[in-house]
Amino acid sequence: MDAKDMGADLDRILVTEEQMHTRLREIAAQIDADVDNTADSPLLAVGVLRGAVMVMADLTRYIHTPLEMDWMAVSSYGNSTKSSGVVRILKDLDTEVAGRDVLVVEDVVDTGLTLDWLTKNLASRGARSVRIAAALRKPECLKVNVQVDYVGFDIPDEFVVGYGLDYQQRYRNLPFVGTLAPHVYGAE
Ligand code: IMP
């Protein structure tokens, strides 16, 4: 899917495909430099379904250090657009995290409540370390002081789609990050 397929539904592009990939290469190099190669087991990259599929696929391919991948699906109680911080695990990891260096890979940090809960949950299982990489962050929306170790781009407080992010399950397969025209939401 590309901008042409969006027609008038696309408002504007915030992060192009090229910008995202350039930044992910930089982040991968930082991760390679930060990984503790003396650890007993390889880095465990944990992607948060479904939005992190694209960033997980691209970021991990730029990382040279050996790693394993696993996935979690979580759902936040609350309304559909804002998370409440009360999180339910829909799909848990298949991997034992005790003693592992974990890299949580997320699409966007909005309030930060989901990641705050997730990092505490992984730490309580005995992870040796928990770091976070997020393609996007909305600094104006943060409600908790969650430390995001690797951030692709800080973006304004706007609802975005593409690069894994959806509106009503659509637009995840856009290669860039953009905003939607008001008529898509039923407003003018
Ligand atoms: P948080 O707990 O508020 O940080 O929620 C993060 C989750 O909300 C993300 O992983 C997304 O699934 C979703 N989300 C937050 N902002 C957006 C957006 O602008 N577009 C699409 N999904 C979003």
Side-chain angles (χ1 to χ4, degrees), residues 83 106-108 110-114 138 158-160 165-166:
S83 75
E106 182 55 302
D107 49 6
V108 58
D110 184 7
T111 62
L113 290 166
T114 306
K138 300 181 190 172
E158 285 182 77
F159 193 82
V160 293
L165 290 160
D166 74 301

Side-chain angles (χ1 to χ4, degrees), residues 72 89 92 97 116-126:
M72 270 183 94
I89 297 177
D92 206 347
V97 293
D116 186 51
W117 181 90
L118 197 53
T119 48
K120 285 176 182 151
N121 179 279
L122 293 169
S124 75
R125 302 188 201 191

